[in-house]
Amino acid sequence: MTKQDNFDFQPTLEGRTITLRPLQPDDLESLYAAASDPLIWELHPDPQRYQREAFEARYFNGAVTAGSALVAIDNASGEIVGCSRYYEWDPVAEEVAIGFTFLARSRWGGATNREMKMLMLDHAFKWARRVWFHIGKDNLRSRRGTEKIGARFSHESEKEINGQLHEYAYYYVDRPPASVSEVLAFSEQVARDAGALMLAELQRDEGPAAHFKHDGQELVTEADIKVDKLICDAIRARYPTHQILAEESAPDLTQLSEREGPLWIIDPIDGTVNYAHGHQHSAVSIAWVVDGVVQSGVVYNPYNNEMFAAARGKGATLNGESIHVAQKTDLRRALFATGFPYIKKDMALLVRRVGLMLAHCADLRRMGSAALDICWVAAGRLDVYYENLSVWDFAAAQLIAIEAGARYGHFLPVPDGVNPVFHNKNILVSNATLYNKARDILLQAED
């Protein structure tokens, strides 16, 4: 579409767990039931909106009048669980804002907020080049949630709300430079071609030659180099202006968090030691990142033809079928996975962590491919995963896990100034309930 087309302010947008539809005047009672919790508004510039009169006068009536508000409907129960709105559409600058958003506390935790905003962003990008989010300066919860979907901080400014000036933080998300669905399809095909080359190399006389890099610490095979070249050549032919960060050919990690524009992060063979020893548990990992936000990712195990894939806001799949993180709540019933580095200097700490986790979980699985381990959490085959990794090990799998409903984070603080998307230390992946329990166990090893 072009900027001359009229922006569709009130579409119906169907997601995996929620559907957004136009707000109607008779939604008042149901929407207020979702909004009547004081904790929803405690950090908002208008914290009294949990009261019926304030909600109706200072939120609902304006939302109906605006003609651009959408209510969020839980697909399972049919209940209204929140609301949001498009506003300030500028057809010349091709910019629009998303705001006036709230969710019932039962839907806090990130997944629903992410799904709602992704549905609205995808719709907005049919017309808009940039989408803005205006958030109360002190509303740290909303600011963190907006940053988690990839929004970038722009500036702070005063904004009038109900006749009073309040300090607001301004965030934005720009339209990706290529269609995410197109990139995902391309990534899947390249991963299949790379997987075929992996297997073909194993059939050569004596198999692929191997050597060690990083002062003799890390195994790499001739197949790693060949697969890396195949993937990079395919990307450069299709997207010649995009940057590439590949483990074997271009391991430049400088200022990764600050890179702008499209970037591919590649691991040609994740699980090289498995590959070299004939263990059929290795994968090709390909992630596509735009302005520091992972937009799509694929992890492909050619031995059993399993393609894990995800596009931001679209859910995760295994061979085209939706996958979801397991919903265990008892850590004693959980299977966890981890790995160990080539360099052994911190083994005492790592062994303490494993010992504590074994004492509280059902069992350990040590399989040798971080990308597949994280995808197995996404598919419910594992319940918890933690490790220190390299960015190419987890870039694609991270998105797949998040889109499958997992909580992805770090059990120790992320250093100031480091983008959590790319922080490679103390990674922890699980469902929301087990995440906190596993984090608490792992932290005991630090004492």
Side-chain angles (χ1 to χ4, degrees), residues 296-367:
S296 71
V298 300
V299 174
Y300 179 58
N301 183 346
Y303 293 106
N304 56 13
N305 191 33
E306 286 196 333
M307 178 72 73
F308 296 90
R312 190 168 68 104
K314 299 296 186 182
T317 61
L318 169 56
N319 291 345
E321 299 294 327
S322 294
I323 55 174
H324 309 287
V325 67
Q327 295 303 314
K328 287 191 181 76
T329 58
D330 188 348
L331 201 59
R332 294 174 302 173
R333 302 288 180 261
L335 285 178
F336 76 96
T338 189
F340 300 95
Y342 290 99
I343 300 173
K344 310 299 184 184
K345 66 176 182 178
D346 294 325
M347 285 304 295
L349 173 60
L350 301 182
V351 170
R352 284 202 305 275
R353 289 174 180 168
V354 169
L356 285 165
M357 289 293 287
L358 278 171
H360 291 85
C361 297
D363 207 349
L364 162 69
R365 295 293 180 266
R366 168 74 173 103
M367 293 175 289

Side-chain angles (χ1 to χ4, degrees), residues 237-259:
R238 181 73 169 266
Y239 302 104
T241 63
H242 292 195
Q243 302 175 79
I244 300 175
L245 175 64
E247 179 180 9
E248 304 306 334
S249 61
D252 178 9
L253 301 177
T254 58
Q255 299 179 320
L256 181 58
S257 297
E258 300 175 6
R259 288 196 183 189

Side-chain angles (χ1 to χ4, degrees), residues 2 14 58 60 166 227 285 320 350 361 365:
T2 68
E14 296 184 9
R58 301 203 293 266
F60 185 81
H166 297 274
V227 174
S285 176
L350 301 182
C361 297
R365 295 293 180 266

Side-chain angles (χ1 to χ4, degrees), residues 118-227:
M118 290 303 100
L119 287 169
M120 295 184 73
L121 281 169
D122 287 348
H123 176 74
F125 285 145
K126 296 176 182 177
W127 295 270
R129 176 187 58 84
R130 172 169 289 183
V131 175
W132 288 95
F133 297 91
H134 309 149
I135 305 170
K137 178 181 176 181
D138 297 326
N139 193 343
L140 299 182
R141 183 172 59 236
S142 292
R143 292 183 69 164
R144 286 193 297 266
T146 303
E147 290 167 357
K148 285 181 179 179
I149 66 162
R152 293 192 163 203
F153 174 74
S154 172
H155 63 282
E156 293 178 355
S157 180
E158 288 187 332
K159 188 178 180 68
E160 184 177 335
I161 300 292
N162 299 319
Q164 294 185 336
L165 290 176
H166 297 274
E167 289 288 332
Y168 268 71
Y170 285 65
Y171 289 81
Y172 67 90
V173 177
D174 285 339
R175 181 170 54 205
S179 163
V180 177
S181 58
E182 169 202 316
V183 169
L184 184 60
F186 168 78
S187 300
E188 290 183 0
Q189 184 56 57
V190 172
R192 292 189 186 280
D193 293 343
L197 178 57
M198 279 175 59
L199 299 184
E201 285 294 298
L202 290 175
Q203 304 306 313
R204 297 193 317 120
D205 292 343
E206 299 181 356
H211 64 275
F212 289 86
K213 60 181 181 179
H214 299 159
D215 297 325
Q217 298 285 345
E218 186 171 346
L219 178 69
V220 64
T221 71
E222 185 180 352
D224 287 89
I225 307 300
K226 290 183 177 180
V227 174

